[in-house]
Amino acid sequence: MAMYSDDTQAEGSYGKGGPAGGSNGPGTGPPTVLDRSPSPLPRLALGALRSPFKRPAATADFPRTRLVLPGLRIDLARLAAYERVCGFPTGEDALPVTYPHVLGFPLAMRLMSGRGFPLPLLGLVHTSIEITRYRELAASGEYELTVYVDGLAPHRRGTEVAVVTELRVGADVVWESVSTYLARHRTKDTGGEREREKHGPLPGVAEWRLAGDIGRRYAAASGDRNPIHLYPLTARLFGFPRAIAHGMWTAARCLAAHGTPQAVLVRAEFRAPVLLPGTVTYATDGERFELRGGDRVQVSGGVYPLTGPIAEGAVS
């Protein structure tokens, strides 16, 4: 999956139950309990093979199944590799705020590569993520992971899908996220893009020179081996002049620099590709952050504590 939105943003409303609605809403089907995490690479290949036969539409049906992986333990060596490539401190008994997305990614790939998933996996674009962490998560803990499709929504450039990931300790949800992915196709919608928050450029605080192997290093740590992130040759097959950074790497790198409180709401939009190798500017002001290439905003987001007036405004 590509991990940028080319300055697009969701314009529809997902709602509970998606287009089918009723009691057969998202995640209300029988749970599928897994005994191990699926391997993402075969799922990527299967999804690519099925992509030409998909006919995306916001009114399409979608899988209601909840994929559940109980008894999940963290691979500490893989976690350390992830922390190093993203810039988080290593050796602490705490998961980075973005790491549960990596844990949920194989389950999301299983859902989105399935025969019943209506959007083509090939070319699917990660447009945004919203993460809520309710408390600090121990790297030595045991968790239950759940992933399901929340619904489809029309977009002026196609159809977007929302995928929910939840991490539980016992019955308590301790971390959850909603990721949106865009399948581009022709649409009759000629409306304008939803208006973004208006503010001037954030002040730059650091310039980062990104090595050409970041995509391969992040792929090894995360399991996301989409060819657009690996080599110039494989990226050119999909229309990119050279490899591009994973969107979730850019978000994680920004959050490692910004810092996050234990209980936090994080939002990030992937607005333009980050080419590798390259140079980007990390900018921040208060709760907001950006990653820019020249004058173009590539990633924008915010970090909002879950206590106090900032959180009340952030989640309204």
Side-chain angles (χ1 to χ4, degrees):
M1 288 171 290
M3 306 293 274
Y4 73 97
S5 64
D6 195 20
D7 294 327
T8 61
Q9 189 169 353
E11 292 154 352
S13 175
Y14 295 92
K16 292 297 179 184
S23 60
N24 190 28
T28 57
T32 298
V33 180
L34 308 177
D35 59 4
R36 65 176 64 88
S37 184
S39 177
L41 192 57
R43 287 290 165 177
L44 177 62
L46 180 61
L49 290 173
R50 287 175 171 166
S51 290
F53 304 99
K54 300 295 178 78
R55 297 293 180 264
T59 56
D61 198 8
F62 58 89
R64 265 58 174 181
T65 303
R66 302 174 75 94
L67 295 182
V68 180
L69 180 63
L72 176 64
R73 290 280 187 178
I74 308 302
D75 182 331
L76 297 182
R78 184 179 173 191
L79 171 62
Y82 176 89
E83 291 169 334
R84 285 192 295 270
V85 73
C86 295
F88 291 106
T90 60
E92 298 181 359
D93 188 22
L95 297 182
V97 66
T98 49
Y99 195 68
H101 174 85
V102 171
L103 301 174
F105 177 73
L107 280 68
M109 286 291 291
R110 173 166 166 164
L111 284 174
M112 293 190 287
S113 64
R115 191 182 304 275
F117 186 72
L119 307 184
L121 186 64
L122 200 63
L124 205 61
V125 177
H126 196 179
T127 52
S128 72
I129 188 168
E130 180 174 293
I131 295 171
T132 307
R133 182 175 65 187
Y134 296 99
R135 71 188 201 201
E136 189 172 83
L137 307 177
S140 57
E142 182 176 308
Y143 301 96
E144 180 179 277
L145 185 67
T146 301
V147 178
Y148 63 92
V149 176
D150 194 41
L152 305 177
H155 186 283
R156 69 184 180 90
R157 294 193 177 185
T159 299
E160 266 193 339
V161 61
V163 178
V164 174
T165 302
E166 299 171 341
L167 203 65
R168 284 181 169 81
V169 174
D172 297 331
V173 176
V174 294
W175 184 101
E176 60 185 338
S177 73
V178 180
S179 278
T180 59
Y181 300 90
L182 171 65
R184 299 187 187 197
H185 59 85
R186 290 190 176 185
T187 174
K188 295 180 181 179
D189 182 9
T190 58
E193 183 181 346
R194 181 170 45 169
E195 186 176 348
R196 297 181 184 273
E197 180 184 2
K198 294 183 182 295
H199 58 76
L202 301 182
V205 299
E207 186 175 89
W208 296 338
R209 295 183 179 180
L210 309 183
D213 67 345
I214 282 179
R216 297 189 292 276
R217 291 169 55 204
Y218 183 83
S222 69
D224 183 355
R225 299 182 184 275
N226 189 317
I228 63 174
H229 304 302
L230 303 181
Y231 300 98
L233 179 60
T234 55
R236 282 197 290 270
L237 296 175
F238 296 89
F240 298 98
R242 54 187 189 269
I244 65 172
H246 295 73
M248 284 305 298
W249 177 84
T250 63
R253 183 67 186 88
C254 289
L255 292 168
H258 187 284
T260 56
Q262 290 185 12
V264 66
L265 170 69
V266 170
R267 291 183 176 132
E269 292 181 23
F270 309 115
R271 298 170 58 176
V274 176
L275 297 175
L276 301 173
T279 300
V280 295
T281 298
Y282 169 68
T284 185
D285 183 14
E287 72 274 10
R288 299 196 307 268
F289 63 85
E290 288 180 346
L291 203 63
R292 297 195 299 263
D295 294 329
R296 189 177 194 187
V297 176
Q298 297 161 310
V299 182
S300 64
V303 176
Y304 308 97
L306 288 184
T307 57
I310 293 179
E312 295 172 5
V315 299
S316 61

